[in-house]
Each structure stands twice: as structure tokens, then as C-alpha cells.
Amino acid sequence: MVMSFRVSELQVLLGFAGRNKSGRKHELLTKALQLLKSGCSPAVQMKIKELYRRRFPRKILTPSDLPMLHVQAGQLPSAAALAQGTVCHLPYDHGAAVPAALLPPVPALGPKHEADIQHLSPPIHPVHPDVKMKRLPFYDVYDELIKPTTLASTSSQRFEEAHFTFALTPQQVQQILTSRDILPGAKCDYTIQVQLRFCLCETSCPQEDYFPPNLFVKVNGKLCPLPGYLPPTKNGAEPKRPSRPVNITPLARLSATVPNTIVVNWSSEFGRNYSLSVYLVKQLTSVMLLQKLRAKGIRNPDHSRALIKEKLTADPDSEIATTSLRVSLMCPLGKMRLTVPCRAVTCTHLQCFDAALYLQMNEKKPTWTCPVCDKKAPYDTLIIDGLFMDILNSCTDCDEIQFMEDGSWCPMKPKKENPELCQTSAFSGIEGMGAVSLYTVSCEGKSSSEGRKKVEVIDLTLDSSSDEEEPPAKKQCP
């Protein structure tokens, strides 16, 4: 225990024992070890244990630690020792120690201040708060190896450190080992993984992944690679890591006899605490999620028909009545024809995107944002549109359709006009008014009789005076 002390703990210990506490760290360590060899009093022994527990405040109990509890139970300090100001870290939640954030900073403690510790109030931040992590679509949780645990500040220093341990059962080790998968490129990976997650210590709602600032993680003594920093959004803003879980399986000891250790270093922030948790999960692919989405079933076409009628109902306050809606059968993501048309139930538009492509993109970079309206479209809200499925199956030669007021639809034939005339289609966007296309049709009919030389696209951005300078023959098309 003494060998793990920092300078501050060594000074407190030597001061408590009445020894000289000046000098460099190796000198202080030599004095402390001499103190032990000369046979220190029970009070000094308790002081060493107290400083050690404050140095490593939280240790998650594993099955291998259970035999030690019986030993430690007989070593609890007596009432007389408590009266002298010795802190007893009684396990109040699964064997977790009292957070040392409530204790004065280590260097400030001395014989004069020891008696003040026993008057401290109960813990403000529980070690295991009721934090719930948001469920991730690409992972199925099998087990909770370390439940969400507070990363509270334990000293007045800027950089904090916390230690955790977890052990795998023989069954869990077997699950991981049998899930080994040789991926393309001869890369070996496990589909069942040990997953480390961080979030804000907030209990009001399920939390998304969120990394503490200046985070460093060591798993079994090896530095754990974390997601790279995102480019700063504005000048002066601190760089942030993307919010995602960390797969620590490559660094874990896949053994049921040797526990795994995690050491976390981060910068403390006033008024903000973080939470750490570890899970055993199965990684899913976009193909599996598409199968699950199909298994939910296809939404009844009547839902979309009702949405069409609602959009085409005449608004008494509007001077322009929308009589039809044009919708594209092309996916806005890949610019290819839809195969599995879907959208979120929270979206108010009819336009669909392709489910397979949407899931593939979120597998690479999970944003879960609708490509049509830019609103959140999480996996659980996705539906396959039955009406669009029927349309795609029965209409194979067009890329755009038009919905009527009664919910019926008709295909929009692909245009055969000159490329110059295509500029007029800019007026008829997705779900625009179908009547706009009349201008294009009339232009085509006129241009075919007038000949190619007389076809002109009128630039409506020019001043009205420029019309007078044009020859009369070029004004017939409008």
C-alpha cells in the first residue's frame, strides 16, 4: 500500500506518525518503509489503510474478491478508533467505498483536522446512480459487467484517476471465443464484445455516450485506443470525441480466473460528473437490422393515403389550392431507385428513403438523421411504407409519381425534351404542385412546331425592359 502512495499521502502519513515529512519522494518513501519495519502502531496502520482507500476510492467487487470480505470484516476499527477521527469506509452499496470527494484534499489533512472528518454529511453522489444508458441499435446487450458508476472528483487536483475491475464467467469467455469472425482483409474480430461506455451522470432520461475531457483509459495496463477528436466547430471550441462506445475486447483477459482492470484518467469539471459502465454485447450488422425491420411488418398503405388526403385538403386561408403531389421514387441518399422504401413515423413528408442504404450509412457513422427533412430518425421509429411498396412493384418504368386528392396516383412519364428545357423543372420540386408541369408540356408542344432554331429558355431574372428587345418570334413559347 505504501509503495503506491504519492508525495502528498507520504507526507500526511509521516506527519501523522510524528516523523520528518520533508524531502524528495524516494526519501519520503524510505522513511515510510522504515516506519513500517520498526513496527508501527495500530493507529498508523489504520492511517495507511485509510490513505490507500482514498487513493483508490472505488473498486468494483468481483467473485474473486468475496473471500476477502470475511477477512476485512474482522479488521473494522473499534469505536475508540472512530473517536480518534479514523474514517471507516463501510460498504453501503455492493461493497463500494464512501466517495472521497466529500473528504478534504489529502494535503490539507493532518492530526489537527482528523476529528473533523466524522462530522461530514452523507454522500451527495451515489457510487451507483440510477443512470440508464441509451440502447444502441447495432448492439444487443447480453450482460452488465460493471453497472453505471460515478466518476466523481476525489481530490482538489485537476486530473482525476479511478480504478475498476471486472471478471468474466466461464460461460461469457466461451461466448466471446466462439464468436470470432474472420472479416474481409484477414482481420480477426469478435462479434460478442466487451464494451466500455461513458456518459454524463444524469438520471432524468436514458443517456447517450459522452466522453469526459482529456480522457485516458488503460485496460490491464495497456493504453486503450479511443475515437479520434472531431474537427472543432468554431474558433476556440475544445475538440470533442464522437459519441460512441469503446470495444475493449482486444485488451481484455479472456479468462475466468484472472480479473480485468481498468484505470481511467480524466479532467475534473466543477458541477459535472460522469459515469462509466461495461457490458457484454453482440455486434449486429446493417443486414441484420434490415431483417429485423422487415420482420416488424410493412405499414398499411391506408396510413399514407390518409397523409396524402390531409396534405391535399384545401386550406380556406390559402389562395392557391394544391391539387396534386409529386413524389420521387429515387432514394435521396444514393440517387438510385428505392428498393425498401421507409421513413420515420415522426416524419410528416411522404418522400421515402431506402432502408438498406440508410442502415449501411449509420453503421459507418451513426447519425440517425432523416435525409429528407434532417430531423432525427432513430432505428426504432423506422417503418416500411406499404403504399410505396405497392407502387414500386406495379410501376417499373418511371422515377416519379403524382398523387391525387382522393389518394390515387399516376406515373409521371420521363421527359424527352432537350436538355435546355430541363431548367424549367426546377420549379417542380419533390412534393411540389403538379400543375407547374403544364408549363413544361406546353413548351414542348410549341417548340416541336417552331423548330430547334426558335426554341429559347426565357430567363425570368432579367428586367422587364429586356423583353422589348427580343424578336417577336422568340416570345411565342410562353
Side-chain angles (χ1 to χ4, degrees):
M1 290 180 179
V2 170
M3 290 291 285
S4 69
F5 283 175
R6 296 168 294 193
V7 172
S8 55
E9 283 101 0
L10 291 169
Q11 288 176 334
V12 171
L13 175 62
L14 292 169
F16 180 78
R19 302 292 178 91
N20 183 3
K21 55 183 182 179
S22 62
R24 296 180 179 276
K25 183 178 179 180
H26 67 91
E27 295 169 348
L28 297 175
L29 193 56
T30 305
K31 292 176 188 175
L33 292 174
Q34 285 174 350
L35 180 68
L36 278 177
K37 288 176 184 176
S38 62
C40 56
S41 64
V44 173
Q45 289 180 14
M46 287 304 302
K47 185 67 182 173
I48 292 170
K49 290 176 183 176
E50 173 203 327
L51 289 169
Y52 182 78
R53 289 194 187 111
R54 197 178 309 148
R55 174 86 171 87
F56 305 109
R58 278 177 291 282
K59 183 176 184 298
I60 306 305
L61 287 181
T62 62
S64 60
D65 296 325
L66 293 177
M68 291 299 294
L69 282 179
H70 305 295
V71 180
Q72 292 171 358
Q75 296 176 348
L76 292 177
S78 61
L82 286 172
Q84 295 173 6
T86 306
V87 175
C88 169
H89 293 273
L90 289 172
Y92 69 97
D93 185 1
H94 299 278
V98 175
L102 302 163
L103 300 175
V106 173
L109 289 173
K112 297 178 184 176
H113 305 288
E114 293 295 313
D116 298 334
I117 301 174
Q118 59 186 330
H119 304 301
L120 291 169
S121 58
I124 300 171
H125 302 291
V127 174
H128 295 296
D130 295 327
V131 173
K132 293 282 185 290
M133 293 296 297
K134 190 169 269 188
R135 200 177 72 80
L136 299 173
F138 284 102
Y139 299 97
D140 279 342
V141 177
Y142 280 9
D143 279 303
E144 192 177 54
L145 302 176
I146 297 179
K147 63 181 179 177
T149 306
T150 306
L151 292 174
S153 299
T154 57
S155 71
S156 59
Q157 298 179 0
R158 173 162 169 71
F159 293 100
E160 301 288 346
E161 187 174 287
H163 292 241
F164 302 86
T165 62
F166 67 92
L168 297 168
T169 65
Q171 181 189 3
Q172 290 168 345
V173 172
Q174 193 63 27
Q175 280 180 308
I176 297 172
L177 291 175
T178 54
S179 75
R180 190 166 188 174
D181 190 15
I182 308 294
L183 298 176
K187 182 187 174 187
C188 296
D189 204 357
Y190 298 99
T191 53
I192 294 180
Q193 304 170 352
V194 181
Q195 187 182 78
L196 172 66
R197 297 184 73 179
F198 293 90
C199 70
L200 289 171
C201 194
E202 176 61 55
T203 58
S204 59
C205 61
Q207 293 297 298
E208 294 184 345
D209 292 84
Y210 195 93
F211 288 109
N214 300 316
L215 178 69
F216 290 92
V217 179
K218 278 189 175 181
V219 179
N220 296 319
K222 294 180 182 177
L223 196 62
C224 176
L226 300 172
Y229 284 101
L230 295 170
T233 51
K234 55 186 177 181
N235 293 336
E238 281 194 24
K240 277 182 61 179
R241 297 184 189 276
S243 302
R244 65 180 68 154
V246 182
N247 175 19
I248 61 172
T249 319
L251 301 175
R253 295 189 183 110
L254 302 181
S255 164
T257 56
V258 186
N260 290 271
T261 61
I262 300 175
V263 181
V264 181
N265 294 89
W266 78 102
S267 296
S268 60
E269 292 179 283
F270 182 74
R272 176 177 280 188
N273 283 316
Y274 296 90
S275 179
L276 169 147
S277 50
V278 178
Y279 303 92
L280 186 71
V281 300
K282 180 182 181 181
Q283 187 176 23
L284 306 178
T285 64
S286 57
V287 176
M288 294 176 185
L289 288 193
L290 184 60
Q291 289 171 349
K292 286 170 71 174
L293 184 62
R294 287 180 183 275
K296 277 168 59 177
I298 297 173
R299 201 181 202 202
N300 194 309
D302 291 339
H303 282 279
S304 296
R305 290 194 184 99
L307 184 60
I308 294 164
K309 290 174 184 175
E310 181 185 327
K311 282 181 173 291
L312 293 178
T313 301
D315 183 0
D317 298 330
S318 176
E319 297 178 2
I320 303 172
T322 308
T323 57
S324 62
L325 284 170
R326 291 176 64 174
V327 179
S328 173
L329 297 181
M330 305 289 281
C331 175
L333 286 169
K335 310 302 179 189
M336 302 283 284
R337 188 177 165 87
L338 294 165
T339 53
V340 186
C342 86
R343 63 173 179 271
V345 290
T346 51
C347 291
T348 57
H349 50 80
L350 279 165
Q351 181 65 46
C352 290
F353 47 85
D354 192 75
L357 192 55
Y358 183 70
L359 294 173
Q360 286 171 25
M361 292 182 71
N362 280 284
E363 186 175 20
K364 298 290 183 188
K365 185 181 178 183
T367 57
W368 301 105
T369 303
C370 174
V372 179
C373 63
D374 284 335
K375 293 180 181 175
K376 285 293 180 185
Y379 177 74
D380 291 337
T381 65
L382 298 181
I383 51 102
I384 298 176
D385 193 303
L387 179 59
F388 274 80
M389 285 294 284
D390 294 344
I391 293 169
L392 288 165
N393 291 333
S394 59
C395 177
T396 57
D397 60 342
C398 74
D399 298 330
E400 200 171 12
I401 56 166
Q402 187 168 351
F403 287 114
M404 305 304 173
E405 291 180 66
D406 59 354
S408 61
W409 62 275
C410 64
M412 302 290 290
K413 293 296 180 187
K415 300 182 182 68
K416 297 287 192 294
E417 74 271 23
N418 293 328
E420 300 142 25
L421 288 173
C422 291
Q423 294 180 23
T424 57
S425 64
F427 294 100
S428 52
I430 291 175
E431 294 186 31
M433 290 171 59
V436 179
S437 61
L438 293 175
Y439 173 70
T440 309
V441 176
S442 63
C443 259
E444 290 168 30
K446 202 63 145 178
S447 63
S448 59
S449 60
E450 294 288 332
R452 288 183 61 87
K453 290 186 290 185
K454 295 187 178 183
V455 173
E456 283 290 334
V457 177
I458 306 300
D459 190 347
L460 298 180
T461 61
L462 296 176
D463 294 335
S464 57
S465 60
S466 64
D467 288 345
E468 298 167 7
E469 299 165 12
E470 296 288 339
K474 294 185 181 180
K475 296 172 68 176
Q476 292 176 6
C477 184

